[in-house]
Amino acid sequence: MEAARDPSVEGADGPRLRRLSPEGRQARISDLVLDTGSMSAQELSEVFGVSVMTIHRDLDELQRQGVLRKARGAATAQPSGTFESNVEYRAKANIEAKRMIAQHACRHIEPGMSLLLDDSTTALQMLPHLAALAPLTVATNYLTALNELARMRDIQVIALGGAYNVHHDSYLGTVCMDTIRSLRFDAAFLSTSAVRDGYAFHQEDRIVAVKREMVEVATRSHLLIDHSKLARSAMHRLLPIHRFESVIVDAGISEPALASLRDYDVRVDVAAPIT
């Protein structure tokens, strides 16, 4: 049986939302959850004027696609130990911290260098600063970054191809890794999902494999992590943090967390707030 309509929740869009196809409804659910971070199945049922069971079927499909995950009767875009958030959600999360970190990371770049950027939304924030540091050669597997770099003057762009993954908006797999292995770079800039006990972690082994190759082919590698990554866990161990030339964090990091990072024989830079 369909849920009772609640005009106070549906508003003027209620009738139109009820007429959506399952695919259209799932697309709108994705937009809502990626904007808000999480919504309960009951809330979504009221918004779309369909049963909670129908919403659960929608959420099952969206979870299968890797757009979001179900947790305790709700849809969430938040990461877990085995689920990395959709790139659309990550691009909005902790954005000011990521901008601080990216601006600081560019201090390690000089004109004429060759750079390798991963598919992280933190490294993406470096792009606005690269034009002032040109000429540069920049390689990445992140499609959004490739499109932005292609419009910049005096930036030679190398696309790291492979199998395209919509959840990450990037190219992965053996073709990508083979391309990385065939090249060498002055510096690599990477992020990851979690840092704990002196190691960087990520939820997906296929992402770990690509990031490890990136570190191997760069003379220097820098790990970019906002302070929220220090309170998370993820399933797959990437590398010990001392493998990086530096770890760059934002000013939101606590003093105990900062002291703990520095215990692992790695340079830790705290990015200053952008003025």
Side-chain angles (χ1 to χ4, degrees), residues 170-230:
S170 66
Y171 297 93
L172 304 169
T174 56
V175 173
C176 181
M177 291 190 290
D178 285 345
T179 304
I180 294 169
R181 292 187 192 112
S182 71
L183 300 166
R184 293 296 181 268
F185 297 90
D186 295 315
F189 297 88
L190 297 82
S191 188
T192 195
S193 302
V195 170
R196 178 165 293 190
D197 301 326
Y199 285 86
F201 290 83
H202 197 278
Q203 296 94 336
E204 300 179 42
D205 56 356
R206 60 183 172 175
I207 301 292
V208 166
V210 170
K211 291 179 188 288
R212 283 180 178 169
E213 295 293 344
M214 290 181 167
V215 172
E216 287 295 324
V217 301
T219 302
R220 295 181 177 85
S221 298
H222 303 274
L223 182 63
L224 319 179
I225 52 167
D226 70 75
H227 66 277
S228 70
K229 309 287 181 71
L230 302 172

Side-chain angles (χ1 to χ4, degrees), residues 23 26 30 58-68 83 86 165-167 206:
E23 293 77 13
Q26 289 162 17
S30 299
D58 290 335
L59 299 185
D60 286 340
E61 175 58 22
L62 291 169
Q63 179 169 256
R64 186 192 67 79
Q65 296 173 18
V67 176
L68 47 78
F83 174 82
N86 183 282
N165 181 275
V166 66
H167 181 69
R206 60 183 172 175

Side-chain angles (χ1 to χ4, degrees), residues 248-269:
I248 306 173
V249 298
D250 64 283
I253 188 172
S254 68
E255 286 299 327
L258 181 59
S260 177
L261 277 181
R262 286 175 170 158
D263 282 342
Y264 292 101
D265 192 30
V266 63
R267 172 181 169 178
V268 182
D269 291 343

